[in-house]
Amino acid sequence: MSKKKHKDKTPSQPNQKTPSKEPAASTLLLPPALPETTDGNDTAVTVFFAAMESSETQEQGPDEMHQYITDVSPEEEEAQVKASETRRRHPLRNTLIAVLILLFCAFGGLTAVLYGFSGPITVGIGETVSHGIITENPVLSLFVTPEKDPAEIETGCIRDELLKLKFFGFLPKSRELHVRDLLPPEFSVCNLTVMQDTDITAFDCVTSYADQTDLTFAFSPEPDTGIIGVQEISVSACDEGGNTVSHTVTLTVVDAALAIRAEFGTDAEQLLADIRESHPQFEQIDLSRLDFSVCGTYRINARSSDTYYLLNVDLSDTTPPKARIRSFDILAGSTLTPEDFMTKVEDLSPVTLSFVNEPDFDNYAPQTVSVAAEDAFGNRTILDAELHVWNIPGEFSFECGESDKAFSDSLFADFGTSSRPSIPASFKPSELKPGDYSLKLQGTHNNITISVAVRDTKAPVLALQDAAAYLNHVPELDAFLVPVEHAKETTVSFATEPDVSAVGTPTLIIGAEDAFGNRSEATAKLTVIADTTPPVISGVKTIQVKRGETASYRKNVSAWDAADGAVSVSVDTSSVDLNKNGTYTIIYTAKDSSGNVATVEAKVVVSSIDQAAVDAQADAVLAAITNQKMTQKQKITAIYDWCVKNIRYSTSTSNLMGQYVAAAYSGFTTKAGNCYTYYAVSSALLTRAGVENIMIQRDDPDKPHYWNLLKYNNNWYHMDTCPHYKGHFARILFATDADLAAYCKNHVAG
């Protein structure tokens, strides 16, 4: 077959065959290679457009294909033409295939990138973690969701955390987060002056520093403070992130001239003044490391210009304690401690007290005792005291009633002629009653207190006398006692009960016992005699009584019997008629338990009541309730008030209605009566007071009522002192006719 040139064919002749020629060799020219890229999305786009260009090239006619083919055999050319025609017949299928290839490549590239996103994230301390820092790509942030809010991630210190993520909301992924100190430390230093052989650290040269983590300071090289002179040294600061910064300082080592000694108890103000006086070059002195309450060697800082000094302050106590010593008088059997002898101990450190020579508490002669006070630093003070141990009992018993000399001799029986404590002059043992007392003896140095028990161990002295008693009458105990002073706590009683059942002279035993159980007994004779003497009636006199009054027959009348004492008195008044004038005889009778009877007669004189008797009663009342300075109105008011307050309403005097004198007298004497009695008493008082008055009677025979009408200031007024009915009281005084009419209308008819 011969080679022929390809002719162009139009798309309207798809089935027309083109003659082919035999090529010498065949080479297929491919489209140019795609450019390399590291971005998944860019790769997918490049593949897509490369596929499109390839498709367009393949859709060209057979003639255009010749530009890509050289030396193609007729068979190959025919096969390519058929393939081209097939593709040309299905253009939509080619497009769909290209789109699917694009999506596949994009998804595959994105997934590859996301799963390749696994490297650690490093942030600085204090840096806020955001979504963008985690994804490191704005495109990826659309597909990546952290399970934890990035803003809540702690970055305040060096730490590691595994962050959990999700792609597309369901694909799990994790990524390491490292929080690191990324900033170098900042610090400043100063030159340092120290004493020879002083231990120092790199931090002693540091004046200020700042970093996000803890710093470690170090020397390079290590200084030698054993050599006096100047050294150049390097001070480095390294943080926890490994960031290191160094500065050079000058170290000056001097001799011990910078050592400072201070007495324990010196305060900060005084120490500062002492240091500035000896080292005026110091501009600043820091005593914050010094504890003034504890002795020891302290390192302090001082500054002069640009140089720091390290000084040793020796705070020591060289002052012995201050104290007072006291001497003692004590009782035998007592002991003392060093703290008893030494008082008001003063020192800035704890003080221990001890005996230099132990006191001998069994030695009753005066002795010297030395007491030492030693502080915590060995400073010591020794003081001497006197001690006198007295051989005196702390509790002493003394018989009540003994003399003062007997008390002193008994208390100091073991002293002989040697010195002894003195008894206060105010202490009188002989005058003490039984009981417990406290006695302060006056020793050489102080008072010695002992307990004194005054006891009564002697039986009471019982003095008796014989006595007599009537038959069947038990005598009083006091009849047998001779009047002597007994203790208040002494009880006297019959040891044998007196027998008075028969006349005779029996012997009685009487006992006395004091509060301490001491008892004594004695005997006395009792003479029992028969009672033949009647009682004696006294107070009997003639009784004057007004007709209609009540007589008090027993007033001031009594009877006394030698055996029975007071006995009752009876009176026979059967012959007396108090409503009839006359003289009557009454008989008083008294009888004792032995049957002895005594009688006495008296007279009762009953006389009529006259106006003079009424006037006497009225005058007595007016004398008590009125005076010369009172006005007439005040006197009338006083009369009204007395009647209302002193007379009690009673119907017992109804028989006296119409009998003015008798009713008035009864009202004054019995303080009771009905309305007529109130009127009569009021009228008698008004009349004796010089007030003109008349009686008013209610015009109702079935309901009689009486009151007074008095004249005052030439006018007539009503006065009614009688209460009206239960539960109501009206003050009817200086009432006019109109007042009375209004009252009767509103309260009581009549």
Side-chain angles (χ1 to χ4, degrees):
M1 183 179 295
S2 59
K3 294 183 180 178
K4 295 183 179 179
K5 294 183 179 179
H6 293 283
K7 294 183 179 179
D8 295 334
K9 288 187 178 182
T10 61
S12 61
Q13 298 172 337
N15 297 323
Q16 185 178 353
K17 296 184 179 180
T18 303
S20 60
K21 60 181 179 178
E22 188 79 18
S26 299
T27 302
L28 180 61
L29 298 178
L30 300 177
L34 297 176
E36 295 182 0
T37 177
T38 60
D39 188 278
N41 294 332
D42 293 342
T43 302
V45 174
T46 303
V47 171
F48 171 77
F49 284 105
M52 292 298 294
E53 291 176 359
S54 173
S55 175
E56 291 176 356
T57 303
Q58 292 175 359
E59 288 179 358
Q60 296 176 355
D63 294 337
E64 290 81 352
M65 292 294 293
H66 285 291
Q67 58 181 316
Y68 299 107
I69 304 173
T70 58
D71 299 329
V72 179
S73 65
E75 293 80 5
E76 294 172 340
E77 180 179 2
E78 184 178 359
Q80 292 180 0
V81 170
K82 290 181 179 181
S84 176
E85 290 177 352
T86 302
R87 286 191 297 270
R88 194 179 299 119
R89 286 195 299 266
H90 304 282
L92 181 58
R93 186 189 64 177
N94 296 336
T95 303
L96 292 174
I97 292 173
V99 172
L100 291 174
I101 293 173
L102 174 63
L103 293 175
F104 177 78
C105 293
F107 180 78
L110 182 60
T111 302
V113 171
L114 292 177
Y115 272 85
F117 156 69
S118 59
I121 306 169
T122 301
V123 297
I125 293 178
E127 183 179 351
T128 302
V129 180
S130 65
H131 195 180
I133 292 177
I134 296 176
T135 59
E136 298 181 319
N137 189 297
V139 177
L140 290 181
S141 64
L142 300 175
F143 304 99
V144 178
T145 304
E147 291 185 0
K148 181 179 182 181
D149 185 358
E152 297 179 356
I153 297 176
E154 175 62 41
T155 61
C157 61
I158 295 177
R159 58 187 296 272
D160 296 327
E161 183 174 346
L162 186 65
L163 302 180
K164 294 185 178 181
L165 313 172
K166 286 187 178 180
F167 296 145
F168 306 112
F170 65 91
L171 295 176
K173 181 64 177 175
S174 60
R175 194 173 189 187
E176 293 183 358
L177 173 68
H178 302 311
V179 181
R180 296 293 182 264
D181 185 355
L182 305 179
L183 300 177
E186 298 178 2
F187 76 104
S188 59
V189 295
C190 66
N191 297 328
L192 187 64
T193 299
V194 300
M195 294 185 298
Q196 188 177 14
D197 295 325
T198 300
D199 294 330
I200 62 174
T201 64
F203 188 71
D204 293 327
C205 303
V206 178
T207 58
S208 64
Y209 62 91
D211 196 76
Q212 295 175 324
T213 59
D214 293 337
L215 297 178
T216 302
F217 297 93
F219 282 126
S220 179
E222 286 290 333
D224 186 357
T225 59
I227 302 175
I228 298 176
V230 179
Q231 307 174 35
E232 295 292 329
I233 55 177
S234 175
V235 178
S236 63
C238 181
D239 60 20
E240 294 181 3
N243 305 301
T244 303
V245 177
S246 299
H247 294 303
T248 301
V249 299
T250 299
L251 173 64
T252 303
V253 180
V254 298
D255 58 13
L258 294 179
I260 299 172
R261 201 201 73 78
E263 181 65 27
F264 186 58
T266 303
D267 57 18
E269 183 178 355
Q270 182 61 46
L271 181 58
L272 284 173
D274 294 343
I275 295 176
R276 288 195 173 100
E277 182 179 358
S278 58
H279 301 281
Q281 74 274 21
F282 294 159
E283 298 175 358
Q284 297 178 5
I285 303 172
D286 181 11
L287 301 180
S288 60
R289 299 181 183 178
L290 198 151
D291 185 355
F292 287 92
S293 64
V294 180
C295 289
T297 301
Y298 297 90
R299 176 179 294 179
I300 66 172
N301 296 333
R303 184 169 184 174
S304 175
S305 185
D306 62 346
T307 302
Y308 266 43
Y309 297 82
L310 292 182
L311 298 84
N312 289 335
V313 176
D314 181 18
L315 185 62
S316 57
D317 184 358
T318 61
T319 304
K322 295 180 180 179
R324 292 184 181 181
I325 197 75
R326 61 171 295 187
S327 298
F328 276 96
D329 292 282
I330 63 173
L331 296 173
S334 302
T335 59
L336 297 172
T337 65
E339 288 75 16
D340 296 322
F341 285 96
M342 201 165 267
T343 62
K344 295 185 178 180
V345 180
E346 298 178 4
D347 198 80
L348 296 176
S349 64
V351 176
T352 302
L353 303 181
S354 61
F355 287 119
V356 177
N357 60 308
E358 290 287 339
D360 184 359
F361 296 107
D362 295 326
N363 180 8
Y364 302 135
Q367 55 185 298
T368 300
V369 178
S370 297
V371 182
E374 184 173 348
D375 63 19
F377 302 97
N379 304 302
R380 203 177 195 206
T381 297
I382 299 176
L383 299 175
D384 293 336
E386 295 296 323
L387 174 63
H388 194 161
V389 181
W390 297 95
N391 188 21
I392 299 174
E395 296 181 355
F396 181 71
S397 294
F398 178 67
E399 184 65 32
C400 179
E402 294 286 342
S403 66
D404 296 345
K405 184 178 183 303
F407 176 85
S408 178
D409 292 343
S410 177
L411 180 63
F412 303 125
D414 297 333
F415 281 72
T417 58
S418 61
S419 62
R420 62 180 66 180
S422 59
I423 300 174
S426 59
F427 188 79
K428 302 293 184 181
S430 59
E431 300 177 0
L432 298 178
K433 300 296 181 182
D436 295 326
Y437 300 88
S438 178
L439 172 60
K440 291 184 178 181
L441 300 173
Q442 298 171 354
T444 306
H445 308 290
N446 54 268
N447 291 334
I448 312 167
T449 301
I450 66 172
S451 296
V452 176
V454 178
R455 296 292 180 256
D456 184 357
T457 61
K458 296 181 179 179
V461 177
L462 186 59
L464 301 180
Q465 61 186 2
D466 296 337
Y470 288 101
L471 186 66
N472 298 321
H473 288 76
V474 178
E476 295 291 335
L477 180 62
D478 290 343
F480 297 91
L481 300 179
V482 176
V484 295
E485 183 178 356
H486 296 278
K488 294 181 179 180
E489 297 81 6
T490 301
T491 302
V492 181
S493 61
F494 287 114
T496 57
E497 290 296 326
D499 183 5
V500 292
S501 61
V503 174
T505 310
T507 300
L508 301 181
I509 300 176
I510 299 175
E513 185 172 340
D514 61 21
F516 301 95
N518 304 304
R519 182 177 177 82
S520 61
E521 292 182 347
T523 61
K525 294 291 185 178
L526 172 61
T527 302
V528 181
I529 59 178
D531 179 13
T532 59
T533 304
V536 177
I537 301 174
S538 60
V540 177
K541 63 182 180 179
T542 300
I543 300 174
Q544 299 288 340
V545 61
K546 296 297 181 180
R547 190 176 62 187
E549 286 186 338
T550 301
S552 297
Y553 300 107
R554 290 185 175 84
K555 186 177 181 179
N556 299 324
V557 176
S558 63
W560 178 264
D561 185 71
D564 298 337
V567 294
S568 62
V569 179
S570 63
V571 56
D572 180 8
T573 63
S574 59
S575 64
V576 179
D577 185 356
L578 296 176
N579 293 318
K580 183 178 179 181
N581 292 348
T583 301
Y584 303 92
T585 300
I586 59 175
I587 302 173
Y588 291 95
T589 302
K591 184 178 181 180
D592 64 17
S593 60
S594 299
N596 303 304
V597 178
T599 59
V600 176
E601 293 184 354
K603 299 296 182 179
V604 176
V605 179
V606 180
S607 61
S608 298
I609 301 172
D610 55 14
Q611 187 62 45
V614 173
D615 292 343
Q617 293 288 338
D619 291 343
V621 172
L622 290 174
I625 66 174
T626 64
N627 57 63
Q628 296 294 331
K629 295 181 180 180
M630 295 176 67
T631 64
Q632 189 181 45
K633 186 175 183 179
Q634 290 174 331
K635 292 179 180 180
I636 295 171
T637 303
I639 292 171
Y640 178 89
D641 291 338
W642 185 89
C643 293
V644 169
K645 294 179 181 178
N646 291 277
I647 301 177
R648 175 178 55 84
Y649 186 84
S650 173
T651 59
S652 61
T653 60
S654 298
N655 62 318
L656 299 178
M657 293 179 65
Q659 304 178 41
Y660 168 75
V661 174
Y665 189 83
S666 175
F668 280 119
T669 56
T670 65
K671 302 293 190 299
N674 58 8
C675 62
Y676 188 84
T677 301
Y678 277 95
Y679 145 72
V681 172
S682 300
S683 178
L685 291 171
L686 290 171
T687 300
R688 297 300 291 174
V691 179
E692 185 178 354
N693 67 96
I694 60 176
M695 182 187 75
I696 300 295
Q697 180 179 1
R698 184 162 54 192
D699 187 16
D700 186 351
D702 295 331
K703 296 181 179 179
H705 183 62
Y706 302 87
W707 67 92
N708 305 89
L709 189 67
L710 62 88
K711 187 177 182 180
Y712 168 72
N713 203 16
N714 294 322
N715 293 311
W716 288 91
Y717 297 95
H718 295 271
M719 183 179 85
D720 190 355
T721 58
C722 177
H724 287 263
Y725 56 90
K726 186 176 182 180
H728 177 76
F729 174 78
R731 185 177 178 85
I732 301 177
L733 176 63
F734 295 109
T736 64
D737 292 342
D739 295 335
L740 201 61
Y743 172 79
C744 294
K745 178 180 179 181
N746 296 323
H747 296 84
V748 181

